[in-house]
């Protein structure tokens, strides 16, 4: 009697675990996942640098559009474009990290499914 209740509880727990694993997190959840784990400080540092580069590029762009002669416009325009490109490149550096996290989640899900199948084949559950 107790074993049947334990098996039912384990089966319910497994279903809930599989449901959670099967759901692919949304984009903002994946971005939030960048700031957890061992490399969170590196990603946070990259975010701060990217934000500083973007703010500096906006400042230079405002000065560029306010320039009254071509030489002043060139002195502000090139740094504005360079800083903006650098900010975009740093932001793009996050995409491979998100992809790696997605692949790791998929591999963990696959390993869990294989382990459950192996347990069921050996008759340890249900």
């Amino acid at each position: 009697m107790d074993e049947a209740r334990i098996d039912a509880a384990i089966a319910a727990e497994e279903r809930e675990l599989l449901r959670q694993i099967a759901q692919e997190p949304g984009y903002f959840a994946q971005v939030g996942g960048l700031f957890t784990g061992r490399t969170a400080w590196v990603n946070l540092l990259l975010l701060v640098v990217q934000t500083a580069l973007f703010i500096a590029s906006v400042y230079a762009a405002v000065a560029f559009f306010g320039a009254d002669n071509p030489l002043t416009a060139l002195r502000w325009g090139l740094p504005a474009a360079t800083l903006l490109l650098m900010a975009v490149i740093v932001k793009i550096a996050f995409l491979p990290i998100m992809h790696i996290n997605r692949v790791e989640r998929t591999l963990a899900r696959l390993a869990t499914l294989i382990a459950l199948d192996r347990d069921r084949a050996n008759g340890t559950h249900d």
Side-chain angles (χ1 to χ4, degrees), residues 24-111:
E24 181 73 23
Y27 180 76
F28 292 109
Q30 291 180 21
V31 170
L34 292 173
F35 304 107
T36 59
R38 295 181 323 177
T39 61
W41 70 273
V42 175
N43 293 332
L44 188 60
L45 180 65
L46 281 173
L47 181 66
V48 169
V49 168
Q50 185 268 328
T51 303
L53 288 169
F54 179 74
I55 291 170
S57 73
V58 169
Y59 178 79
V62 168
F64 166 75
F65 286 113
D68 54 355
N69 64 27
L71 186 57
T72 306
L74 189 60
R75 284 185 182 157
W76 285 107
L78 287 176
T82 304
L83 289 168
L84 187 60
L85 284 173
M86 288 172 61
V88 169
I89 289 169
V90 171
K91 183 168 282 300
I92 289 174
F94 287 119
L95 294 177
I97 299 167
M98 289 174 51
H99 182 68
I100 289 168
N101 289 344
R102 187 179 309 135
V103 168
E104 286 177 348
R105 271 192 305 275
T106 303
L107 288 174
R109 178 175 168 249
L110 184 61

